[in-house]
Amino acid sequence: MGGRTARKRQATPAGFPTHLHLSAGLVTGSGWPLCLSGKELLFRDKPAASGSTCTARVQASWPHQATRRMCFHESSFQPTQFLLLVGVPVASVLLLVQCLRWHCPRWLLRARWNLESQEEPVSEPVPLPESESSRQCPPEVVAFYEELHTPTQGQTVIRQLMHKLLVFSAREVDHRGGCLILQDTGISLHIPPGAVTVGRQERVSLILVWDLSDAPSLSQAQGLVSPVVACGPHGASFLKPCTLTFKHCAQQRRHARVFSSNTNLLDAKAWEPLAQSGVHTSLDECRIELSHFSLYTCVLEAPAGHEARKWLQLAVFCSPLAPGQSHLQLRVYFLNNTPCALQWAMTNEQPHGGRLRGPCQLFDFTGARGDQYLKLKYISEGWENVDESSCQLVPHLHIWHGKCPFRSFCFRRKAANENEDCSALTNEIIVTMHTFQDGLETKYMEILRFQVSEEDSWAAPPPVFQPAPCNRLPPELFEQLQMLLEPNSITGNDWRRLASHLGLCGMKIRFMSCQRSPAAAVLELFEEQNGSLQELHYLMTLMERLDCASVIQNYLGSSPAPVLRGGAWENKGLELELDEKL
């Protein structure tokens, strides 16, 4: 038996080992029998054991071919074998793909992804308002928002859109931030740096709403003390809070409360308090840190046991008085003491050719009092009142709720007799009116004086928004005088005495005391009256404020002292009135 077995076995090639161990994952030579046992690959060269169930015949690579038997210790085919034979090619393919992802150009991959996603194209989103994105918008509404958000190149635009009178400005803002300002209204929007993602540009708009129907529905105890301001697009949010600033006319900032309407400009408004009273308000300004864009305004409401008050400005307008003109109408507006309210009155007067006659006069309006009265007290000779009554009433809530009401009087020239025309004697008109709240006529009343004459300059009035030129004090001198005049003196020889010389009455001086810096406000008034350094030096000498006069003298050098313009500032009556108030 042993001999027969030996004769059947073929000799192993010289130099080849009878046992060869290979690590998993290596490829064996062609034509060699495999024997899998655990984690080893074993080439066996001994005869198969008796009772072996599996044999295989292979062709040797050398000339002597022989039949060899392959044996397995456990089973003929195991899962480990399958994972080894299949996993090696799969792992190689995955490794190759990973290498291609890192080393191939990214544009090639993007091109491949675009080809794969052609079935579901993604379009660029259109920047529409949040409330409009979920429904189909009429074409006029789409055009309305497109015009509001179109950059205005730094200009303030006044336009009537969708039956709303709006003042707006728009621009594009990137990661550097930016600022939007509505001219002559005291309204601004600041977008800080970093509020927009780097590489992106966002269109933002700032809108003053002059449509009075958009204001909140208020109770009798509540008063509107600011304009309605909108920031767009509605619902837009940024990486950092934006700052919205606008003016209010409440006398007590702790009684003023900011309201917000989280609605679109064309939708029905839903006004809600934004915070507690006095949170977002300063002395005469609202400053709000915005997390998203919407509509905002400020409402005055005093707590129980307190009296709510706000400042009004009384503005008198009239059309030109032309030679031979027989009638003249003047209009008195009762406005919130904010810049945008006065600009609204000026815009409203433009179609009628009306111009503002003189500076506005302040009025202390009380929310708990009655209606406002306007009484005609004096008309210059040669004119008569056309209206049947010389007293007109303005409902309390029209003023308290910020409706910007006005009352008018119409006058006509009158002749001395039927055969005489005295138009040459009536080339100017002087009118005096009194205004007061019901029940306060003897306690508090404001006197309105109106004078107009035939002037050639009426033919070409200057632009409404163009401020009159004024002299400016040197900044260093301005600051020094402000520090010297700011502290209140027991004798009243401070900024109040200077205000009296400039023609301010006691009520306006009380208003000045509510400003952040009364001395600065009085000096700015002096600048607006085109006062010179010589005139200011004379006033300080007259007030016996030699410290201020010495500071001014340093800027004058050896200039001679001038004569005051007609003694316009030396008003002893106003000075006595100031002393009585003090």
Side-chain angles (χ1 to χ4, degrees), residues 263-279:
T263 56
N264 194 16
L265 189 57
L266 294 179
D267 293 340
K269 308 303 181 291
W271 293 101
E272 296 291 341
L274 191 62
Q276 297 297 323
S277 298
V279 173

Side-chain angles (χ1 to χ4, degrees), residues 316 318 328 330 357 429-431 433 448-452:
V316 180
C318 78
L328 180 70
L330 67 85
R357 297 302 300 177
I429 179 174
I430 302 175
V431 177
M433 296 168 287
L448 297 175
R449 293 183 177 89
F450 167 79
Q451 179 178 358
V452 62

Side-chain angles (χ1 to χ4, degrees), residues 41-87:
L41 297 179
L42 180 62
F43 288 93
R44 305 188 61 87
D45 195 37
K46 63 171 68 175
S50 175
S52 176
T53 60
C54 177
T55 59
R57 297 177 179 273
V58 296
Q59 286 295 92
S61 57
W62 48 84
H64 304 283
Q65 299 182 355
T67 302
R68 296 183 180 271
R69 297 177 181 178
M70 181 184 298
C71 67
F72 298 88
H73 292 286
E74 295 179 357
S75 63
S76 61
F77 192 78
Q78 294 184 355
T80 307
Q81 278 183 272
F82 177 78
L83 292 177
L84 182 63
L85 295 176
V86 176

